[in-house]
Amino acid sequence: MTILQKISNKWETYTGRGKTYFYRAIDKLYPQYYDLKKVKDSIFPLGYCLPDELILDKVPEKTSLWAEVVPGLRETYRFSNEKDYYAMYAKAQFAYTWKKGGWDCLRHYEILANGTIPAFPDLEACPNDTLTHLPKELILQANKELLPWKDNPDYHSKYQKYAAAILAHCKENSSCSAVATGFLKNLGAEPKQKILFLNCDTNVNYSRELLFIGLSRIQESHKGLCYGYPKLDFLYDNFPLEKADKCYGKGFGYTRRLTPSTDSQALPTTDEEVENSIKQGHWDFIVYGKMGTEEGVLGLAPTCPFWKTVSEVYTKDQIAFVYGGDHIQNLKDMGSAHSRHLSTHAKLGKCFVRELKLN
């Protein structure tokens, strides 16, 4: 590294700190600047979920105490297909999980969906507005009462009670259909309406993919429409299995879950056609599927796709932004660029956030 590069890095570090202190001071001295009381009404939690068909109907027979996969131990990541991977969790009584890049992690739901109790050591530190689809209190109580495990009738009885309750909660609250239904309610949308789901950057993002699966299924079943643009081919069942295996996370849980629409010929397939459909008010709602400071220009208004046209035709109540990144959006700390990004966009539309701390 040259001396100029070192100076540049130091300059970025100190200017970054300076901005943090500056914006914190503004929030403290002049809280009306961010108007957080008002923008909070446009911010909603949005956790991960799993397709409904992946959640078991009942707690299966358990043949091992602990699941084989241990987060961080690469040698335990040996599974090459979904069936074997989920079966590994289904036969275990407990499975380790904890915070990864962010608090929300697909592994939590894979464990719950297979009737297994997660051992989640740091769960008490999770903000109230994050992991809202998880039965946090049930998990904490189960961990407290059942770990360390004792092989006696009392523990087995309590295990069955907690495992059944956690699985039932998962089925009711953590499925794609449940999360999408809650999303529609907070958006103020009905299943029969038409949603244009703008995917922004097309690299995999679990928040976007799993929400889109739920919305697509609900809208289709009610003769509505949730149309994704650009199309994410890996979500559809005509996507080659050998390619799905090469997707992020081996494609487990989200690839090949939807069937292409038979009316696809009538839908816009180019930027020009999509923009014209927006100008004509063809859609009832516009959802931006991947927003946040880490998403670059595609995750920021006014440079996100079709923003000029969308903002001219649709009101803020018809626009939604999905924040699926790892960074916490902490509205108690406006020195954070992530928090400022969220507060700005909450004035432009409704924001649905994976990692959130409102109070």
Side-chain angles (χ1 to χ4, degrees):
M1 182 181 292
T2 66
I3 187 65
L4 289 177
Q5 289 173 323
K6 290 181 179 179
I7 292 173
S8 176
N9 289 343
K10 286 290 185 181
W11 174 255
E12 289 181 7
T13 298
Y14 289 127
T15 54
R17 289 179 183 173
K19 286 181 180 179
T20 296
Y21 296 137
F22 174 74
Y23 286 113
R24 283 176 180 169
I26 287 180
D27 186 36
K28 186 173 183 179
L29 298 172
Y30 186 60
Q32 296 90 338
Y33 181 80
Y34 295 108
D35 201 10
L36 293 181
K37 289 184 179 179
K38 184 176 181 180
V39 301
K40 284 181 180 179
D41 292 337
S42 297
I43 299 174
F44 306 91
L46 180 72
Y48 287 163
C49 50
L50 276 183
D52 299 55
E53 64 271 21
L54 294 181
I55 304 176
L56 299 182
D57 291 322
K58 62 180 181 179
V59 177
E61 180 182 357
K62 302 296 182 177
T63 58
S64 61
L65 182 59
W66 288 99
E68 178 180 343
V69 169
V70 178
L73 294 182
R74 303 299 301 180
E75 58 268 29
T76 67
Y77 297 4
R78 65 174 181 81
F79 296 92
S80 58
N81 66 76
E82 278 187 340
K83 184 177 179 181
D84 292 343
Y85 177 64
Y86 295 142
M88 175 271 302
Y89 277 130
K91 71 181 182 180
Q93 290 180 238
F94 300 96
Y96 286 110
T97 193
W98 44 73
K99 182 181 179 183
K100 196 178 175 184
W103 280 100
D104 212 5
C105 174
L106 200 60
R107 180 178 59 243
H108 308 333
Y109 304 89
E110 293 166 342
I111 294 169
L112 299 184
N114 285 287
T116 299
I117 296 178
F120 203 146
D122 51 352
L123 184 56
E124 285 185 336
C126 180
N128 291 335
D129 304 300
T130 299
L131 294 182
T132 56
H133 306 326
L134 232 65
K136 290 190 277 190
E137 292 302 321
L138 269 174
I139 293 170
L140 287 168
Q141 194 63 30
N143 285 188
K144 181 179 178 181
E145 292 192 24
L146 296 173
L147 295 174
W149 176 254
K150 296 179 181 179
D151 193 9
N152 63 47
D154 181 48
Y155 269 60
H156 281 282
S157 176
K158 286 193 291 185
Y159 179 87
Q160 290 300 321
K161 179 187 72 172
Y162 278 114
I166 289 171
L167 179 59
H169 185 284
C170 176
K171 200 168 190 66
E172 185 175 348
N173 299 278
S174 302
S175 67
C176 285
S177 61
V179 170
T181 297
F183 178 90
L184 290 172
K185 181 180 178 181
N186 289 326
L187 183 59
E190 296 180 11
K192 63 182 179 181
Q193 293 181 302
K194 291 182 289 187
I195 297 172
L196 174 61
F197 200 105
L198 296 171
N199 287 311
C200 303
D201 179 88
T202 56
N203 289 316
V204 171
N205 181 281
Y206 288 150
S207 292
R208 178 189 62 192
E209 270 68 287
L210 296 166
L211 174 62
F212 182 75
I213 289 169
L215 289 175
S216 295
R217 290 175 171 179
I218 290 175
Q219 300 305 98
E220 182 180 6
S221 67
H222 289 80
K223 307 302 181 184
L225 175 65
C226 182
Y227 177 62
Y229 183 84
K231 182 182 178 184
L232 301 178
D233 292 331
F234 54 79
L235 293 181
Y236 296 89
D237 56 16
N238 58 359
F239 189 71
L241 182 59
E242 61 272 17
K243 288 188 177 181
D245 290 342
K246 293 179 174 61
C247 290
Y248 181 79
K250 298 183 180 179
F252 291 1
Y254 66 95
T255 59
R256 296 166 49 86
R257 293 291 163 187
L258 299 172
T259 299
S261 171
T262 55
D263 299 327
S264 59
Q265 295 85 356
L267 295 170
T269 57
T270 66
D271 285 4
E272 183 179 2
E273 291 173 350
V274 170
E275 185 148 22
N276 285 335
S277 72
I278 297 170
K279 287 180 180 178
Q280 295 164 10
H282 179 75
W283 312 98
D284 297 297
F285 294 90
I286 308 292
V287 176
Y288 284 93
K290 204 174 182 186
M291 299 297 289
T293 57
E294 58 270 81
E295 304 302 341
V297 296
L298 294 183
L300 170 72
T303 52
C304 54
F306 311 109
W307 176 251
K308 184 176 185 299
T309 306
V310 168
S311 60
E312 289 172 351
V313 176
Y314 291 87
T315 69
K316 62 172 292 185
D317 290 331
Q318 296 173 290
I319 301 170
F321 303 109
V322 176
Y323 282 75
D326 286 344
H327 294 281
I328 194 77
Q329 315 290 323
N330 181 5
L331 293 190
K332 296 293 287 183
D333 181 14
M334 296 311 295
S336 165
H338 303 286
S339 301
R340 296 197 301 277
H341 190 290
L342 176 61
S343 67
T344 296
H345 287 73
K347 297 173 184 176
L348 303 175
K350 295 183 177 180
C351 297
F352 296 81
V353 188
R354 169 190 164 206
E355 303 289 315
L356 180 62
K357 186 175 182 179
L358 288 174
N359 300 303

